[in-house]
Amino acid sequence: MAILNILKFPDPRLRTRAEPVAAVDAAIDRLVGDLLETLYQAPGIGLAASQVNVHKRVIVLDLSEAKDDPLVLINPQLELSGELVETDEGCLSVPGFYEPVTRRAHTSVKALDRQGKPFSMQADGLLSVCIQHECDHLEGKLFVDYLSNLKRTRIQKKLLKSQRADA
Ligand code: QAP
Ligand code: CO
């Protein structure tokens, strides 16, 4: 397994729309393993393949305290319902920033698991928000897109500045 480099906002590659996975084969299994290792060492609660510059429809999440309960969604299809809820969201591609985002409370998901087997599930609370956030990445969308232009521009400036300092 390997720890992959996470693209940082405003890298334009984060705007790529991901392609469906045609077959859950050994290469996808390796990608899932690498995504989980990258997620755990970050550490984070969710990561989309788009964030490591692999434009395939694969996301991994783990909201457990012990980081021992991974959820893998391949080619996820979402149906949203319920009331609007506001959550402070962050993102490994937008390090150091958490801002409130409003989304639907309930998510119904159909996806393939790591073995390529179709399954469905329901989510509420933080898991629902996190699934919606990660699926947005597959469309090239980021949580900062829901913020005011002023807030987004300020975050962009600060991140570009710290990326220059890193280089
Ligand atoms: C998405 O994000 C999420 O700024 C997953 O310095 C997060 O795992 C959805 C992280 C919150 C809903 C609510 C962020 C790590 C991790 C940072 C993450 C940071 C270090 C973010
Ligand atoms: Co994110």
Side-chain angles (χ1 to χ4, degrees):
M1 295 214 290
I3 289 163
L4 307 173
N5 181 50
I6 299 176
L7 301 177
K8 304 297 186 315
F9 176 69
D11 192 309
R13 292 171 291 182
L14 287 167
R15 299 312 189 172
T16 312
R17 188 170 185 277
E19 294 291 336
V21 170
V24 182
D25 54 16
I28 294 297
D29 186 72
R30 190 173 326 122
L31 172 63
V32 168
D34 289 348
L35 287 171
L36 284 169
E37 191 177 1
T38 305
L39 176 71
Y40 289 139
Q41 89 96 45
I45 56 172
L47 184 67
S50 315
Q51 293 177 270
V52 299
N53 202 32
V54 175
H55 301 290
K56 297 191 171 127
R57 302 184 83 81
V58 178
I59 70 176
V60 299
L61 307 110
D62 193 334
L63 276 67
S64 70
E65 201 71 52
K67 297 291 172 204
D68 61 355
D69 191 19
L71 176 63
V72 176
L73 302 179
I74 300 171
N75 297 343
Q77 292 188 288
L78 304 191
E79 278 186 43
L80 309 181
S81 60
E83 71 277 26
L84 296 174
V85 290
E86 191 183 74
T87 312
D88 273 347
E89 294 191 21
C91 180
L92 287 166
S93 295
V94 190
F97 295 89
Y98 279 80
E99 295 289 344
V101 174
T102 300
R103 299 183 187 269
R104 291 274 164 204
H106 186 76
T107 306
S108 173
V109 188
K110 283 184 186 166
L112 303 177
D113 68 15
R114 191 174 178 168
Q115 281 72 44
K117 189 166 161 274
F119 73 106
S120 40
M121 61 175 285
Q122 312 286 322
D124 289 287
L126 186 58
L127 180 59
S128 171
V129 171
C130 205
I131 290 171
Q132 292 179 43
H133 173 118
E134 299 313 330
C135 287
D136 273 354
H137 279 298
L138 304 180
E139 299 302 319
K141 193 167 171 105
L142 303 172
F143 87 92
V144 295
D145 299 346
Y146 297 101
L147 308 178
S148 69
N149 291 331
L150 180 64
K151 266 191 184 173
R152 188 171 52 258
T153 304
R154 280 185 177 155
I155 291 171
Q156 177 167 329
K157 272 190 164 178
K158 287 183 188 165
L159 280 176
L160 283 172
K161 198 174 166 188
S162 65
Q163 284 162 39
R164 272 202 308 278
D166 288 348

